């Protein structure tokens, strides 16, 4: 009798576990891509940037912000945001980074910031390549472009940058792979075989030859700091890092960070 009850309990628990796996598998992209979450106080732009729309291969027009520096420089910072919120959440970064002699293009992914479409790994890669194409049509070549990836955007940055000669890369809170990140958040699930969008940055970073600046908070509870350390370890030189003792996912834009950013921009100049 007791044996029969034990078997029933095990079967019930197994059924519940399989239901959880099925739910997470079917909902995984809505768990990964969360354009509706807005965790930041938006800052008004202090520079004369314009709203532009960049068309991807599906003819989806991606809402973007473009700042053309008055010096008419070709150097351009191309920014890829993370998995949550609208592009307005990143205006504070644009305001800080406009101090450099560079244009700035901040794009929003399909389904974000009011855009149509459904986000996928390949879809975000397509959006990113469409932004590169848009810049190239303005006679801005890859060697003039610095790519800035934030969180999820770091994986897109690494994918786009591998085997290409970009001016530089900035990676904020990078992760080794979405498999590793998912294991951190869902250690009880077989994520290796469940994940549709794997973002294998640790396998690709060795193919990046551009100068890299990596920043990560040691207390990051969304993307563990050890992942940022690993990406830095795997990256080719020249590379620099800003690892700060904070408990935030994204690094605080303070004087210390900007001083390190100054050094990175000097590296880019000297590397040419």
């Amino acid at each position: 009798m007791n044996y029969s009850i034990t078997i029933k309990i095990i079967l019930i628990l197994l059924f519940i576990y399989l239901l959880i796996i099925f739910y997470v598998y079917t909902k995984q992209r809505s768990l990964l891509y969360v354009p509706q979450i807005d965790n930041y106080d938006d800052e008004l732009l202090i520079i004369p940037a314009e709203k532009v729309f960049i068309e991807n291969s599906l003819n989806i027009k991606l809402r973007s912000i473009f700042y053309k520096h008055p010096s008419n420089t070709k150097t351009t910072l191309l920014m890829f945001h993370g998995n949550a919120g609208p592009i307005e959440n990143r205006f504070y970064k644009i305001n800080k980074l406009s101090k450099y002699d560079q244009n700035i293009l901040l794009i929003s992914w399909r389904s974000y910031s009011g855009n149509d479409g459904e986000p996928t790994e390949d879809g975000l890669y397509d959006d990113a390549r469409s932004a590169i194409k848009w810049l190239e049509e303005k006679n801005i070549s890859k060697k003039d472009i610095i790519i800035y990836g934030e969180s999820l955007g770091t994986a897109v940055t690494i994918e786009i940058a591998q085997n290409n000669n970009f001016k530089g890369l900035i990676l904020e809170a990078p992760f080794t792979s979405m498999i590793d990140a998912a294991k951190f958040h869902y250690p009880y699930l077989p994520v290796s075989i469940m994940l549709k969008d794997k973002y294998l940055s640790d396998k690709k970073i060795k193919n990046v030859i551009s100068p890299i600046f990596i920043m990560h908070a040691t207390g990051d509870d969304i993307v563990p700091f050890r992942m940022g350390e690993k990406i830095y370890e795997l990256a080719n030189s020249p590379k620099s890092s800003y690892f700060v003792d904070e408990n935030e996912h994204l690094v605080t834009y303070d004087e210390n960070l900007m001083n390190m950013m100054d050094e990175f921009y000097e590296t880019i100049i000297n590397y040419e």
Side-chain angles (χ1 to χ4, degrees), residues 33 35 56 60-64 79-85 87 107-117 119 123-129 131 148-150 152-154 156-157 160:
Y33 306 104
N56 65 18
I60 296 172
K61 294 181 178 179
L62 307 173
R63 182 168 168 264
S64 307
M79 302 181 71
F80 299 147
H81 66 74
N83 75 321
I87 54 176
I107 74 164
S108 58
W109 306 122
R110 59 187 68 193
S111 86
Y112 286 77
S113 297
N115 297 331
D116 294 332
L124 266 58
Y125 294 160
D126 176 66
D127 293 347
R129 291 188 175 98
Y148 184 138
E150 167 201 297
L152 178 64
T154 64
V156 182
T157 298
I160 298 302

Side-chain angles (χ1 to χ4, degrees), residues 92-93 172-173 215-217 242 244 246 248-254 257:
Y92 73 97
K93 296 181 181 182
E172 182 178 9
M215 46 184 170
H216 211 134
Y242 178 69
V244 60
E246 294 180 345
E248 301 291 339
H249 174 43
L250 300 179
V251 175
T252 302
Y253 262 65
D254 58 15
L257 171 60

Side-chain angles (χ1 to χ4, degrees), residues 45-52 64-71 73 75-77 94-95 97-106 134-135 140:
L45 285 174
I46 61 174
I47 55 175
E50 62 176 322
K51 183 187 297 185
V52 297
S64 307
I65 296 294
F66 182 62
Y67 166 64
K68 183 171 176 57
H69 197 277
S71 69
T73 180
T75 299
T76 302
L77 182 69
I94 294 180
N95 286 336
L97 296 168
S98 64
K99 64 177 276 190
Y100 301 110
D101 184 18
Q102 62 183 1
N103 311 305
I104 301 175
L105 174 62
L106 167 62
W134 188 86
L135 288 173
I140 297 171

Side-chain angles (χ1 to χ4, degrees), residues 149-217:
E150 167 201 297
S151 192
L152 178 64
T154 64
V156 182
T157 298
I158 292 169
E159 163 68 21
I160 298 302
Q162 62 175 343
N163 303 315
N164 276 302
N165 186 26
F166 286 95
K167 195 177 187 75
L169 268 64
I170 301 172
L171 305 178
E172 182 178 9
F175 54 94
T176 46
S177 72
M178 192 55 69
I179 295 173
D180 292 341
K183 285 180 179 178
F184 174 74
H185 290 283
Y186 303 97
Y188 50 87
L189 295 177
V191 294
S192 297
I193 59 175
M194 291 174 62
L195 271 180
K196 298 176 182 177
D197 298 337
K198 294 182 170 60
Y199 293 104
L200 303 175
S201 293
D202 55 347
K203 308 298 185 191
K204 303 173 183 177
I205 188 68
K206 65 179 181 298
N207 299 323
V208 175
I209 59 174
S210 305
I212 298 178
F213 176 50
I214 296 176
M215 46 184 170
H216 211 134

